[in-house]
């Protein structure tokens, strides 16, 4: 099972990077485990993950050395929601729209079906803090994705098997970016 799960981690990292949803060492993603969650390490090349680039983080206590700086957000989401996996990335169009919108409401059918409305959160700190973590966890209690203004997106997977939940979260993140692009082009066309 671990080999299969690592394969999905590797594929998600490659896809996020190749689809320009993250830069080389940005973003992070995780899956729930019995004792906590398995997450990508901070600063590693997400498009070239190795098994050593993953670290297990407990649901309580100190964060292990090397764990993603966003582990605080992942921990709160796992503690406060039914999430089985989380993908955090920096989708360019969605982040650009987050600077101007309070929520992203998809115009396209797929976005409407899977996302309905994606809140744009604006805590005073938007990265690696308990304040940001609590805002994201609260938003994801009844939604599948959210944006932190000017920073990035978080999407969750709910499927029971960890590899399927991770792919589900990744899929929702790509849906978010596609919906953001459609919304952007629609607004651009409307002003032209």
């Amino acid at each position: 099972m671990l080999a299969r799960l690592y394969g999905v981690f590797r594929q998600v990292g490659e896809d996020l990077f190749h689809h320009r949803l993250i830069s080389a060492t940005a973003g992070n993603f995780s899956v729930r485990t019995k004792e906590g969650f398995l997450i990508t390490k901070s600063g590693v090349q997400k498009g070239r993950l190795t098994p050593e680039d993953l670290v297990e983080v407990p649901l309580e206590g100190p964060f292990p050395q090397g764990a993603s700086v966003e582990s605080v957000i992942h921990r709160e989401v796992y503690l406060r929601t039914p999430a089985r996996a989380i993908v955090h990335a920096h989708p360019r169009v969605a982040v650009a729209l987050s600077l101007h919108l309070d929520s992203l409401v998809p115009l396209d059918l797929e976005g409407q079906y899977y996302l309905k409305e994606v809140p744009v959160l604006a805590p005073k700190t938007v990265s690696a803090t308990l304040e940001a973590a609590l805002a994201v966890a609260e938003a994801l209690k009844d939604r599948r994705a959210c944006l932190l203004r000017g920073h990035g997106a978080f999407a969750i997977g709910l499927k029971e098997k960890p590899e399927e939940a991770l792919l589900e979260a990744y899929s929702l993140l790509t849906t978010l970016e596609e919906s953001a692009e459609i919304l952007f082009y629609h607004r651009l066309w409307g002003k032209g």
Side-chain angles (χ1 to χ4, degrees):
M1 180 188 126
L2 282 177
R4 186 170 61 241
L5 182 57
Y6 161 69
V8 174
F9 264 90
R10 190 185 70 228
Q11 187 62 53
V12 167
E14 288 174 2
D15 289 351
L16 286 169
F17 177 71
H18 290 297
H19 292 297
R20 301 185 64 200
L21 297 170
I22 57 171
S23 58
T25 60
N28 40 76
F29 32 105
S30 67
V31 296
R32 186 81 160 82
T33 63
K34 287 182 181 178
E35 303 299 323
F37 55 97
L38 191 63
I39 192 168
T40 51
K41 287 184 177 178
S42 187
V44 298
Q45 297 273 333
K46 304 307 184 302
R48 294 186 172 93
L49 285 177
T50 67
E52 294 75 31
D53 293 332
L54 305 176
V55 63
E56 185 146 13
V57 176
L59 287 178
E60 293 181 3
F63 293 101
Q65 185 174 359
S68 169
V69 296
E70 299 293 9
S71 291
V72 63
I73 293 179
H74 290 249
R75 179 184 275 175
E76 288 303 319
V77 171
Y78 287 125
L79 287 171
R80 298 170 186 274
T81 76
R84 306 292 299 159
I86 303 167
V87 173
H88 167 55
H90 306 147
R92 289 167 168 86
V93 178
V95 170
L97 289 176
S98 80
L99 298 169
H100 303 281
L101 302 174
D102 292 326
S103 67
L104 192 150
V105 180
L107 300 174
D108 61 300
L109 184 61
E110 186 173 4
Q112 290 174 355
Y113 182 79
Y114 288 107
L115 299 171
K116 297 178 184 34
E117 180 179 359
V118 179
V120 175
L121 312 175
K124 289 180 183 174
T125 56
V126 293
S127 179
T129 66
L130 184 57
E131 178 187 33
L134 292 172
V136 170
E138 184 64 29
L140 294 177
K141 281 182 180 177
D142 59 357
R143 293 179 180 87
R144 302 295 300 280
C146 66
L147 284 157
L148 281 170
R149 179 164 282 137
H151 175 182
F154 285 85
I156 60 172
L158 303 176
K159 293 190 175 183
E160 190 63 32
K161 291 183 179 178
E163 57 273 13
E164 291 177 7
L166 186 56
L167 288 171
E168 181 184 24
Y170 165 73
S171 179
L172 287 169
L173 205 132
T174 64
T175 298
L176 169 60
E177 181 65 349
E178 183 174 277
S179 293
E181 287 185 46
I182 290 167
L183 180 60
F184 173 76
Y185 291 135
H186 173 74
R187 288 179 173 222
L188 188 65
W189 184 272
K191 297 189 190 277

